[in-house]
PDB file of all heavy atoms in Angstrom:
ATOM      1  N   THR A  23     -44.972  46.093  93.849  1.00  0.00           N
ATOM      2  CA  THR A  23     -44.452  47.007  92.838  1.00  0.00           C
ATOM      3  C   THR A  23     -45.150  48.356  92.934  1.00  0.00           C
ATOM      4  O   THR A  23     -46.291  48.451  93.381  1.00  0.00           O
ATOM      5  CB  THR A  23     -44.650  46.446  91.414  1.00  0.00           C
ATOM      6  OG1 THR A  23     -46.029  46.092  91.246  1.00  0.00           O
ATOM      7  CG2 THR A  23     -43.793  45.215  91.192  1.00  0.00           C
ATOM      8  N   ASP A  24     -44.464  49.418  92.521  1.00  0.00           N
ATOM      9  CA  ASP A  24     -45.034  50.765  92.536  1.00  0.00           C
ATOM     10  C   ASP A  24     -45.959  50.953  91.349  1.00  0.00           C
ATOM     11  O   ASP A  24     -45.687  51.725  90.431  1.00  0.00           O
ATOM     12  CB  ASP A  24     -43.910  51.803  92.507  1.00  0.00           C
ATOM     13  CG  ASP A  24     -43.055  51.738  93.758  1.00  0.00           C
ATOM     14  OD1 ASP A  24     -43.631  51.521  94.834  1.00  0.00           O
ATOM     15  OD2 ASP A  24     -41.830  51.900  93.659  1.00  0.00           O
ATOM     16  N   THR A  25     -47.045  50.238  91.362  1.00  0.00           N
ATOM     17  CA  THR A  25     -48.012  50.278  90.267  1.00  0.00           C
ATOM     18  C   THR A  25     -49.403  50.539  90.838  1.00  0.00           C
ATOM     19  O   THR A  25     -49.624  50.397  92.048  1.00  0.00           O
ATOM     20  CB  THR A  25     -48.017  48.951  89.495  1.00  0.00           C
ATOM     21  OG1 THR A  25     -48.131  47.854  90.419  1.00  0.00           O
ATOM     22  CG2 THR A  25     -46.731  48.779  88.689  1.00  0.00           C
ATOM     23  N   PRO A  26     -50.365  50.927  90.011  1.00  0.00           N
ATOM     24  CA  PRO A  26     -51.721  51.183  90.514  1.00  0.00           C
ATOM     25  C   PRO A  26     -52.339  49.929  91.119  1.00  0.00           C
ATOM     26  O   PRO A  26     -52.006  48.806  90.746  1.00  0.00           O
ATOM     27  CB  PRO A  26     -52.483  51.609  89.245  1.00  0.00           C
ATOM     28  CG  PRO A  26     -51.435  52.106  88.306  1.00  0.00           C
ATOM     29  CD  PRO A  26     -50.231  51.257  88.575  1.00  0.00           C
ATOM     30  N   TRP A  27     -53.255  50.124  92.074  1.00  0.00           N
ATOM     31  CA  TRP A  27     -53.936  48.992  92.686  1.00  0.00           C
ATOM     32  C   TRP A  27     -54.636  48.117  91.650  1.00  0.00           C
ATOM     33  O   TRP A  27     -54.688  46.893  91.791  1.00  0.00           O
ATOM     34  CB  TRP A  27     -54.960  49.487  93.704  1.00  0.00           C
ATOM     35  CG  TRP A  27     -54.372  49.904  95.011  1.00  0.00           C
ATOM     36  CD1 TRP A  27     -54.186  51.183  95.466  1.00  0.00           C
ATOM     37  CD2 TRP A  27     -53.875  49.045  96.052  1.00  0.00           C
ATOM     38  NE1 TRP A  27     -53.611  51.166  96.718  1.00  0.00           N
ATOM     39  CE2 TRP A  27     -53.418  49.875  97.111  1.00  0.00           C
ATOM     40  CE3 TRP A  27     -53.798  47.664  96.201  1.00  0.00           C
ATOM     41  CZ2 TRP A  27     -52.881  49.352  98.287  1.00  0.00           C
ATOM     42  CZ3 TRP A  27     -53.263  47.143  97.368  1.00  0.00           C
ATOM     43  CH2 TRP A  27     -52.808  47.974  98.391  1.00  0.00           C
ATOM     44  N   ALA A  28     -55.174  48.729  90.604  1.00  0.00           N
ATOM     45  CA  ALA A  28     -55.912  47.970  89.597  1.00  0.00           C
ATOM     46  C   ALA A  28     -55.024  47.045  88.779  1.00  0.00           C
ATOM     47  O   ALA A  28     -55.518  46.201  88.033  1.00  0.00           O
ATOM     48  CB  ALA A  28     -56.663  48.915  88.660  1.00  0.00           C
ATOM     49  N   SER A  29     -53.705  47.182  88.903  1.00  0.00           N
ATOM     50  CA  SER A  29     -52.801  46.292  88.166  1.00  0.00           C
ATOM     51  C   SER A  29     -52.667  44.931  88.828  1.00  0.00           C
ATOM     52  O   SER A  29     -52.010  44.041  88.297  1.00  0.00           O
ATOM     53  CB  SER A  29     -51.418  46.941  88.028  1.00  0.00           C
ATOM     54  OG  SER A  29     -50.801  47.078  89.298  1.00  0.00           O
ATOM     55  N   GLY A  30     -53.320  44.770  89.991  1.00  0.00           N
ATOM     56  CA  GLY A  30     -53.263  43.503  90.714  1.00  0.00           C
ATOM     57  C   GLY A  30     -52.689  43.703  92.103  1.00  0.00           C
ATOM     58  O   GLY A  30     -52.106  44.752  92.411  1.00  0.00           O
ATOM     59  N   TRP A  31     -52.859  42.716  92.980  1.00  0.00           N
ATOM     60  CA  TRP A  31     -52.335  42.818  94.337  1.00  0.00           C
ATOM     61  C   TRP A  31     -52.188  41.427  94.949  1.00  0.00           C
ATOM     62  O   TRP A  31     -52.670  40.442  94.397  1.00  0.00           O
ATOM     63  CB  TRP A  31     -53.254  43.676  95.205  1.00  0.00           C
ATOM     64  CG  TRP A  31     -54.666  43.162  95.331  1.00  0.00           C
ATOM     65  CD1 TRP A  31     -55.103  42.074  96.045  1.00  0.00           C
ATOM     66  CD2 TRP A  31     -55.839  43.711  94.722  1.00  0.00           C
ATOM     67  NE1 TRP A  31     -56.456  41.918  95.924  1.00  0.00           N
ATOM     68  CE2 TRP A  31     -56.951  42.906  95.124  1.00  0.00           C
ATOM     69  CE3 TRP A  31     -56.093  44.809  93.901  1.00  0.00           C
ATOM     70  CZ2 TRP A  31     -58.248  43.168  94.709  1.00  0.00           C
ATOM     71  CZ3 TRP A  31     -57.382  45.062  93.491  1.00  0.00           C
ATOM     72  CH2 TRP A  31     -58.449  44.257  93.896  1.00  0.00           C
ATOM     73  N   PHE A  32     -51.510  41.367  96.075  1.00  0.00           N
ATOM     74  CA  PHE A  32     -51.476  40.115  96.829  1.00  0.00           C
ATOM     75  C   PHE A  32     -51.330  40.402  98.322  1.00  0.00           C
ATOM     76  O   PHE A  32     -50.944  41.496  98.745  1.00  0.00           O
ATOM     77  CB  PHE A  32     -50.395  39.147  96.336  1.00  0.00           C
ATOM     78  CG  PHE A  32     -48.976  39.650  96.393  1.00  0.00           C
ATOM     79  CD1 PHE A  32     -48.319  39.822  97.604  1.00  0.00           C
ATOM     80  CD2 PHE A  32     -48.273  39.921  95.228  1.00  0.00           C
ATOM     81  CE1 PHE A  32     -47.014  40.258  97.662  1.00  0.00           C
ATOM     82  CE2 PHE A  32     -46.971  40.368  95.260  1.00  0.00           C
ATOM     83  CZ  PHE A  32     -46.330  40.538  96.486  1.00  0.00           C
ATOM     84  N   VAL A  33     -51.675  39.391  99.116  1.00  0.00           N
ATOM     85  CA  VAL A  33     -51.564  39.449 100.570  1.00  0.00           C
ATOM     86  C   VAL A  33     -50.329  38.651 100.958  1.00  0.00           C
ATOM     87  O   VAL A  33     -50.158  37.510 100.521  1.00  0.00           O
ATOM     88  CB  VAL A  33     -52.822  38.849 101.244  1.00  0.00           C
ATOM     89  CG1 VAL A  33     -52.666  38.840 102.760  1.00  0.00           C
ATOM     90  CG2 VAL A  33     -54.061  39.624 100.827  1.00  0.00           C
ATOM     91  N   VAL A  34     -49.483  39.237 101.790  1.00  0.00           N
ATOM     92  CA  VAL A  34     -48.212  38.589 102.098  1.00  0.00           C
ATOM     93  C   VAL A  34     -47.825  38.845 103.558  1.00  0.00           C
ATOM     94  O   VAL A  34     -48.184  39.870 104.147  1.00  0.00           O
ATOM     95  CB  VAL A  34     -47.102  39.112 101.149  1.00  0.00           C
ATOM     96  CG1 VAL A  34     -46.869  40.607 101.362  1.00  0.00           C
ATOM     97  CG2 VAL A  34     -45.805  38.338 101.324  1.00  0.00           C
ATOM     98  N   SER A  35     -47.092  37.926 104.126  1.00  0.00           N
ATOM     99  CA  SER A  35     -46.518  38.124 105.456  1.00  0.00           C
ATOM    100  C   SER A  35     -45.518  39.277 105.381  1.00  0.00           C
ATOM    101  O   SER A  35     -44.655  39.304 104.501  1.00  0.00           O
ATOM    102  CB  SER A  35     -45.806  36.844 105.902  1.00  0.00           C
ATOM    103  OG  SER A  35     -44.885  37.115 106.935  1.00  0.00           O
ATOM    104  N   GLU A  36     -45.642  40.243 106.282  1.00  0.00           N
ATOM    105  CA  GLU A  36     -44.728  41.386 106.259  1.00  0.00           C
ATOM    106  C   GLU A  36     -43.287  40.961 106.497  1.00  0.00           C
ATOM    107  O   GLU A  36     -42.353  41.525 105.923  1.00  0.00           O
ATOM    108  CB  GLU A  36     -45.152  42.421 107.296  1.00  0.00           C
ATOM    109  CG  GLU A  36     -44.253  43.631 107.391  1.00  0.00           C
ATOM    110  CD  GLU A  36     -44.093  44.379 106.081  1.00  0.00           C
ATOM    111  OE1 GLU A  36     -44.988  44.291 105.215  1.00  0.00           O
ATOM    112  OE2 GLU A  36     -43.061  45.060 105.916  1.00  0.00           O
ATOM    113  N   GLN A  37     -43.090  39.949 107.293  1.00  0.00           N
ATOM    114  CA  GLN A  37     -41.736  39.449 107.534  1.00  0.00           C
ATOM    115  C   GLN A  37     -41.114  38.950 106.237  1.00  0.00           C
ATOM    116  O   GLN A  37     -39.947  39.234 105.950  1.00  0.00           O
ATOM    117  CB  GLN A  37     -41.754  38.336 108.580  1.00  0.00           C
ATOM    118  CG  GLN A  37     -40.362  37.800 108.927  1.00  0.00           C
ATOM    119  CD  GLN A  37     -40.411  36.761 110.033  1.00  0.00           C
ATOM    120  OE1 GLN A  37     -41.474  36.392 110.501  1.00  0.00           O
ATOM    121  NE2 GLN A  37     -39.246  36.282 110.446  1.00  0.00           N
ATOM    122  N   ALA A  38     -41.883  38.221 105.450  1.00  0.00           N
ATOM    123  CA  ALA A  38     -41.372  37.730 104.170  1.00  0.00           C
ATOM    124  C   ALA A  38     -41.108  38.882 103.218  1.00  0.00           C
ATOM    125  O   ALA A  38     -40.121  38.887 102.475  1.00  0.00           O
ATOM    126  CB  ALA A  38     -42.376  36.749 103.553  1.00  0.00           C
ATOM    127  N   ARG A  39     -41.970  39.883 103.219  1.00  0.00           N
ATOM    128  CA  ARG A  39     -41.788  41.030 102.326  1.00  0.00           C
ATOM    129  C   ARG A  39     -40.521  41.781 102.657  1.00  0.00           C
ATOM    130  O   ARG A  39     -39.762  42.192 101.770  1.00  0.00           O
ATOM    131  CB  ARG A  39     -42.984  41.970 102.423  1.00  0.00           C
ATOM    132  CG  ARG A  39     -43.015  43.066 101.355  1.00  0.00           C
ATOM    133  CD  ARG A  39     -44.152  44.040 101.597  1.00  0.00           C
ATOM    134  NE  ARG A  39     -43.825  44.973 102.670  1.00  0.00           N
ATOM    135  CZ  ARG A  39     -43.179  46.130 102.476  1.00  0.00           C
ATOM    136  NH1 ARG A  39     -42.782  46.480 101.264  1.00  0.00           N
ATOM    137  NH2 ARG A  39     -42.928  46.936 103.491  1.00  0.00           N
ATOM    138  N   ARG A  40     -40.245  41.951 103.946  1.00  0.00           N
ATOM    139  CA  ARG A  40     -39.058  42.696 104.360  1.00  0.00           C
ATOM    140  C   ARG A  40     -37.778  41.933 104.050  1.00  0.00           C
ATOM    141  O   ARG A  40     -36.704  42.517 103.944  1.00  0.00           O
ATOM    142  CB  ARG A  40     -39.141  43.013 105.855  1.00  0.00           C
ATOM    143  CG  ARG A  40     -40.284  43.949 106.203  1.00  0.00           C
ATOM    144  CD  ARG A  40     -40.350  44.221 107.692  1.00  0.00           C
ATOM    145  NE  ARG A  40     -39.232  45.033 108.138  1.00  0.00           N
ATOM    146  CZ  ARG A  40     -39.005  45.342 109.417  1.00  0.00           C
ATOM    147  NH1 ARG A  40     -39.803  44.857 110.355  1.00  0.00           N
ATOM    148  NH2 ARG A  40     -37.989  46.103 109.749  1.00  0.00           N
ATOM    149  N   GLN A  41     -37.889  40.631 103.903  1.00  0.00           N
ATOM    150  CA  GLN A  41     -36.721  39.806 103.596  1.00  0.00           C
ATOM    151  C   GLN A  41     -36.581  39.536 102.099  1.00  0.00           C
ATOM    152  O   GLN A  41     -35.808  38.677 101.692  1.00  0.00           O
ATOM    153  CB  GLN A  41     -36.816  38.484 104.358  1.00  0.00           C
ATOM    154  CG  GLN A  41     -36.746  38.642 105.871  1.00  0.00           C
ATOM    155  CD  GLN A  41     -36.989  37.334 106.611  1.00  0.00           C
ATOM    156  OE1 GLN A  41     -37.394  36.329 106.027  1.00  0.00           O
ATOM    157  NE2 GLN A  41     -36.736  37.340 107.920  1.00  0.00           N
ATOM    158  N   ASN A  42     -37.353  40.288 101.286  1.00  0.00           N
ATOM    159  CA  ASN A  42     -37.338  40.076  99.826  1.00  0.00           C
ATOM    160  C   ASN A  42     -37.711  38.650  99.460  1.00  0.00           C
ATOM    161  O   ASN A  42     -37.216  38.093  98.476  1.00  0.00           O
ATOM    162  CB  ASN A  42     -35.964  40.411  99.225  1.00  0.00           C
ATOM    163  CG  ASN A  42     -35.665  41.900  99.269  1.00  0.00           C
ATOM    164  OD1 ASN A  42     -36.585  42.716  99.215  1.00  0.00           O
ATOM    165  ND2 ASN A  42     -34.401  42.260  99.374  1.00  0.00           N
ATOM    166  N   ALA A  43     -38.573  38.048 100.258  1.00  0.00           N
ATOM    167  CA  ALA A  43     -38.987  36.662 100.001  1.00  0.00           C
ATOM    168  C   ALA A  43     -40.506  36.591  99.904  1.00  0.00           C
ATOM    169  O   ALA A  43     -41.145  35.718 100.482  1.00  0.00           O
ATOM    170  CB  ALA A  43     -38.479  35.757 101.102  1.00  0.00           C
ATOM    171  N   GLU A  44     -41.061  37.536  99.146  1.00  0.00           N
ATOM    172  CA  GLU A  44     -42.515  37.624  99.053  1.00  0.00           C
ATOM    173  C   GLU A  44     -43.163  36.317  98.612  1.00  0.00           C
ATOM    174  O   GLU A  44     -44.208  35.906  99.114  1.00  0.00           O
ATOM    175  CB  GLU A  44     -42.930  38.740  98.082  1.00  0.00           C
ATOM    176  CG  GLU A  44     -42.715  40.136  98.614  1.00  0.00           C
ATOM    177  CD  GLU A  44     -41.416  40.743  98.127  1.00  0.00           C
ATOM    178  OE1 GLU A  44     -40.454  39.977  97.953  1.00  0.00           O
ATOM    179  OE2 GLU A  44     -41.376  41.971  97.933  1.00  0.00           O
ATOM    180  N   ALA A  45     -42.537  35.649  97.650  1.00  0.00           N
ATOM    181  CA  ALA A  45     -43.133  34.434  97.084  1.00  0.00           C
ATOM    182  C   ALA A  45     -43.393  33.368  98.146  1.00  0.00           C
ATOM    183  O   ALA A  45     -44.357  32.612  98.051  1.00  0.00           O
ATOM    184  CB  ALA A  45     -42.232  33.879  95.978  1.00  0.00           C
ATOM    185  N   SER A  46     -42.551  33.332  99.164  1.00  0.00           N
ATOM    186  CA  SER A  46     -42.703  32.306 100.198  1.00  0.00           C
ATOM    187  C   SER A  46     -43.778  32.664 101.211  1.00  0.00           C
ATOM    188  O   SER A  46     -44.199  31.805 101.997  1.00  0.00           O
ATOM    189  CB  SER A  46     -41.373  32.105 100.934  1.00  0.00           C
ATOM    190  OG  SER A  46     -41.015  33.287 101.647  1.00  0.00           O
ATOM    191  N   GLY A  47     -44.227  33.918 101.208  1.00  0.00           N
ATOM    192  CA  GLY A  47     -45.188  34.334 102.214  1.00  0.00           C
ATOM    193  C   GLY A  47     -46.520  34.799 101.676  1.00  0.00           C
ATOM    194  O   GLY A  47     -47.339  35.341 102.414  1.00  0.00           O
ATOM    195  N   ILE A  48     -46.772  34.595 100.373  1.00  0.00           N
ATOM    196  CA  ILE A  48     -48.024  35.044  99.762  1.00  0.00           C
ATOM    197  C   ILE A  48     -49.186  34.160 100.221  1.00  0.00           C
ATOM    198  O   ILE A  48     -49.127  32.934 100.121  1.00  0.00           O
ATOM    199  CB  ILE A  48     -47.919  35.048  98.224  1.00  0.00           C
ATOM    200  CG1 ILE A  48     -46.926  36.120  97.760  1.00  0.00           C
ATOM    201  CG2 ILE A  48     -49.287  35.299  97.590  1.00  0.00           C
ATOM    202  CD1 ILE A  48     -46.706  36.171  96.270  1.00  0.00           C
ATOM    203  N   LEU A  49     -50.225  34.794 100.706  1.00  0.00           N
ATOM    204  CA  LEU A  49     -51.400  34.080 101.199  1.00  0.00           C
ATOM    205  C   LEU A  49     -52.540  34.092 100.190  1.00  0.00           C
ATOM    206  O   LEU A  49     -53.366  33.175 100.176  1.00  0.00           O
ATOM    207  CB  LEU A  49     -51.881  34.703 102.511  1.00  0.00           C
ATOM    208  CG  LEU A  49     -50.828  34.819 103.622  1.00  0.00           C
ATOM    209  CD1 LEU A  49     -51.447  35.476 104.851  1.00  0.00           C
ATOM    210  CD2 LEU A  49     -50.272  33.452 103.972  1.00  0.00           C
ATOM    211  N   ALA A  50     -52.615  35.125  99.369  1.00  0.00           N
ATOM    212  CA  ALA A  50     -53.668  35.244  98.353  1.00  0.00           C
ATOM    213  C   ALA A  50     -53.230  36.284  97.340  1.00  0.00           C
ATOM    214  O   ALA A  50     -52.446  37.188  97.661  1.00  0.00           O
ATOM    215  CB  ALA A  50     -54.999  35.645  98.987  1.00  0.00           C
ATOM    216  N   ALA A  51     -53.729  36.158  96.120  1.00  0.00           N
ATOM    217  CA  ALA A  51     -53.344  37.094  95.064  1.00  0.00           C
ATOM    218  C   ALA A  51     -54.494  37.286  94.081  1.00  0.00           C
ATOM    219  O   ALA A  51     -55.294  36.377  93.867  1.00  0.00           O
ATOM    220  CB  ALA A  51     -52.103  36.588  94.324  1.00  0.00           C
ATOM    221  N   GLU A  52     -54.551  38.477  93.498  1.00  0.00           N
ATOM    222  CA  GLU A  52     -55.531  38.791  92.469  1.00  0.00           C
ATOM    223  C   GLU A  52     -54.808  39.414  91.275  1.00  0.00           C
ATOM    224  O   GLU A  52     -53.950  40.276  91.452  1.00  0.00           O
ATOM    225  CB  GLU A  52     -56.586  39.768  92.988  1.00  0.00           C
ATOM    226  CG  GLU A  52     -57.538  39.194  94.025  1.00  0.00           C
ATOM    227  CD  GLU A  52     -58.434  38.101  93.464  1.00  0.00           C
ATOM    228  OE1 GLU A  52     -58.601  38.054  92.229  1.00  0.00           O
ATOM    229  OE2 GLU A  52     -58.963  37.312  94.259  1.00  0.00           O
ATOM    230  N   PRO A  53     -55.150  38.992  90.061  1.00  0.00           N
ATOM    231  CA  PRO A  53     -54.536  39.583  88.871  1.00  0.00           C
ATOM    232  C   PRO A  53     -55.137  40.960  88.585  1.00  0.00           C
ATOM    233  O   PRO A  53     -55.987  41.458  89.348  1.00  0.00           O
ATOM    234  CB  PRO A  53     -54.897  38.581  87.772  1.00  0.00           C
ATOM    235  CG  PRO A  53     -56.206  38.006  88.233  1.00  0.00           C
ATOM    236  CD  PRO A  53     -56.111  37.926  89.734  1.00  0.00           C
ATOM    237  N   ALA A  54     -54.710  41.558  87.508  1.00  0.00           N
ATOM    238  CA  ALA A  54     -55.200  42.889  87.134  1.00  0.00           C
ATOM    239  C   ALA A  54     -56.714  42.888  86.949  1.00  0.00           C
ATOM    240  O   ALA A  54     -57.305  41.910  86.491  1.00  0.00           O
ATOM    241  CB  ALA A  54     -54.515  43.349  85.851  1.00  0.00           C
TER     242      ALA A  54
END
């Protein structure tokens, strides 16, 4: 999302991101 880095982030496979399937390719995530 177009939000500040401090709002949280996650690591994802770029292939999954480009296919609008981020949830299937998330490797790690951090909340706000």
Side-chain angles (χ1 to χ4, degrees):
T23 53
D24 295 322
T25 50
W27 282 105
S29 66
W31 60 73
F32 60 71
V33 177
V34 63
S35 160
E36 178 57 25
Q37 182 176 3
R39 190 186 77 88
R40 295 179 70 185
Q41 295 174 350
N42 291 330
E44 287 97 327
S46 65
I48 293 178
L49 306 179
E52 290 294 339

